[in-house]
Amino acid sequence: MSQTIVVKIGTSSVTQPETGSLAIATIATLAETLTELRSNGMRVILVSSGATGVGCERLHLKERPRTIALNQAVAAVGQGRLIRIYDDLFSTLRQPIAQVLLTRQELIQRNSYVNIYNTFQSLLDLEVIPIVNENDTVAVEELNFGDNDTMSALVASLVEADYLFLLTDVDRLYSADPRNDPEAEPIKKVVTRKELEELQANAGKSGSQWGTGGMVTKLEAARIATGAGVKTVITHGRRPQEIHQILSGASIGTQFEAQPRGENARKRWIAYSLVPVGELYLDHGAVKAIRDRGKSLLPAGITHVEGDFQAGEAVTLCDSEGKEIARGLTNYSSAEIRQIQGHKSEKIPLILGYTSAETVIHRDDMVSVL
């Protein structure tokens, strides 16, 4: 079966850092590389940043907008020019493309999530390269992706990609910022989830002037993607042609090994696409039952509820110290759980006057967090 590859290129790679104008030579090389990959039978998706940066350049703004409304307006100006450049370059190569604009809200709704999956599959079957960006014009602050690194990882999880390439302004991940620290050590490979968590704990939040990302967001993207069974690579955005060499086994960039893809598609949706709207704190027995035996969550194991939410919404499950152990879809609202917490399931109808389910979260609607 053909491999599926998601390539995300950052604002610092598609624009000139000093001016925000488009880096045409880099984009042209990227188009050639992706067209060659598709011609070789691979299914290719491009996630491209740069709309806001291009909009700033077109409107002669010297810095990224600080308000949501202005940022959305500037992104709308830049998105049209950005996709036109891509269309011109790919048309020269006789490669059809499609523009796909997403918001987090569309991935939260299960029906639209499935529809998006089907759309991607249809485009890839038609040998089209989808070019994806966040729909900044309509995204709301609470439900935006925050950065295209996260979105690219969610897209890679959605389409069950084999690879996610994060093209950025450094050639790989380092122990410190190589632009400031000459003793920074390169990190070539990350194999285990523990290694990735240690990197996340030590990562700084530096990034370019025009982008919203940085290594923090790229490591989070790697966590999401590798957890969904997608091998992830951080490498230099000015040299997209190196993707060919990496696919052939070259040790270029920082490569994150994929974890086993054990969860089904619905559980990956719960784990990565949903935004938890509350927290349930559990006693030791409930934590052990969920973590060690994969059991459902019963009301007796809940000690505290945070947030206001309705039945069917996503919540985080935490141990007594506040560490996340799982997340899932609850069968009861926060108000109902506050009444039944600490009680056995058979007491639910006596307390509430009705029973929606014996479990607060069924194991089929729950995903453990390692």
Side-chain angles (χ1 to χ4, degrees):
M1 185 176 177
S2 299
Q3 286 190 316
T4 300
I5 298 170
V6 177
V7 178
K8 182 267 176 180
I9 189 162
T11 300
S12 60
S13 299
V14 299
T15 61
Q16 303 292 350
E18 301 81 10
T19 63
S21 59
L22 284 168
I24 300 297
T26 298
I27 299 174
T29 303
L30 176 67
E32 290 177 355
T33 299
L34 299 188
T35 299
E36 289 169 2
L37 291 172
R38 213 230 45 78
S39 298
N40 291 334
M42 296 183 180
R43 296 154 69 88
V44 180
I45 296 172
L46 172 62
V47 178
S48 178
S49 300
T52 300
V54 173
C56 287
E57 189 267 340
R58 174 58 66 91
L59 296 171
H60 308 292
L61 301 179
K62 294 183 178 181
E63 63 179 11
R64 192 180 184 91
R66 298 182 184 276
T67 67
I68 296 174
L70 183 57
N71 186 78
Q72 291 175 325
V74 171
V77 172
Q79 185 63 37
R81 175 157 172 73
L82 183 63
I83 199 67
R84 178 185 172 185
I85 294 297
Y86 276 123
D87 191 47
D88 288 345
L89 292 170
F90 278 105
S91 294
T92 301
L93 299 166
R94 300 183 181 275
Q95 171 59 52
I97 64 170
Q99 177 173 311
V100 179
L101 298 176
L102 296 177
T103 66
R104 191 69 180 260
Q105 181 66 49
E106 291 153 355
L107 295 185
I108 289 174
Q109 300 295 330
R110 180 63 182 169
N111 287 342
S112 61
Y113 181 90
V114 173
N115 288 340
I116 293 166
Y117 170 84
N118 291 333
T119 298
F120 273 123
Q121 296 305 320
S122 295
L123 288 169
L124 296 173
D125 288 344
L126 290 168
E127 301 184 346
V128 172
I129 295 179
I131 299 181
V132 188
N133 198 354
E134 182 166 12
N135 193 351
D136 292 307
T137 307
V138 300
V140 296
E141 185 176 19
E142 315 85 68
L143 292 177
N144 65 2
F145 293 102
D147 60 87
N148 278 345
D149 295 322
T150 300
M151 184 172 69
S152 68
L154 293 173
V155 169
S157 172
L158 167 69
V159 301
E160 299 181 338
D162 298 282
Y163 280 88
L164 169 63
F165 290 91
L166 300 172
L167 307 186
T168 185
D169 53 4
V170 293
D171 59 347
R172 55 166 50 100
L173 188 66
Y174 287 81
S175 58
D177 190 336
R179 295 166 294 192
N180 302 325
D181 187 348
E183 296 184 359
E185 293 289 331
I187 299 170
K188 296 183 178 181
K189 181 164 284 192
V190 180
V191 177
T192 67
R193 180 52 58 95
K194 184 177 180 181
E195 289 175 342
L196 179 51
E197 289 175 349
E198 290 174 353
L199 288 173
Q200 285 186 287
N202 296 327
K205 296 185 178 181
S206 59
S208 68
Q209 176 187 6
W210 298 104
T212 57
M215 281 304 161
V216 170
T217 62
K218 287 168 181 58
L219 288 170
E220 176 61 14
R223 184 191 70 81
I224 293 170
T226 55
V230 183
K231 185 170 183 175
T232 303
V233 182
I234 295 174
T235 190
H236 208 297
R238 300 287 182 181
R239 301 192 293 270
Q241 67 273 18
E242 291 182 344
I243 291 175
H244 290 294
Q245 297 165 254
I246 295 170
L247 290 171
S248 297
S251 180
I252 298 173
T254 299
Q255 303 188 15
F256 299 81
E257 290 298 322
Q259 304 303 309
R261 187 177 283 160
E263 305 289 4
N264 60 36
R266 188 171 184 276
K267 286 205 171 187
R268 287 199 304 275
W269 168 68
I270 294 172
Y272 304 118
S273 294
L274 297 185
V275 179
V277 292
E279 298 86 38
L280 302 180
Y281 289 82
L282 315 181
D283 63 23
H284 177 73
V287 170
K288 188 173 179 62
I290 291 169
R291 185 154 43 194
D292 297 345
R293 303 199 300 276
K295 296 291 187 178
S296 301
L297 175 62
L298 303 176
I302 301 172
T303 60
H304 180 65
V305 181
E306 284 286 343
D308 294 310
F309 49 85
Q310 300 302 313
E313 292 192 295
V315 296
T316 299
L317 279 60
C318 304
D319 62 18
S320 59
E321 297 179 352
K323 181 180 179 181
E324 180 180 3
I325 64 157
R327 59 181 56 183
L329 303 175
T330 177
N331 292 319
Y332 292 94
S333 70
S334 54
E336 291 169 326
I337 297 174
R338 288 187 176 97
Q339 296 181 65
I340 63 176
Q341 69 181 57
H343 295 281
K344 294 184 179 295
S345 297
E346 55 262 31
K347 294 290 185 67
I348 294 176
L350 298 176
I351 297 171
L352 298 180
Y354 54 86
T355 303
S356 295
E358 293 184 353
T359 60
V360 173
I361 301 178
H362 193 275
R363 63 184 181 184
D364 290 344
D365 293 327
M366 186 191 308
V367 180
S368 296
V369 177
L370 298 178

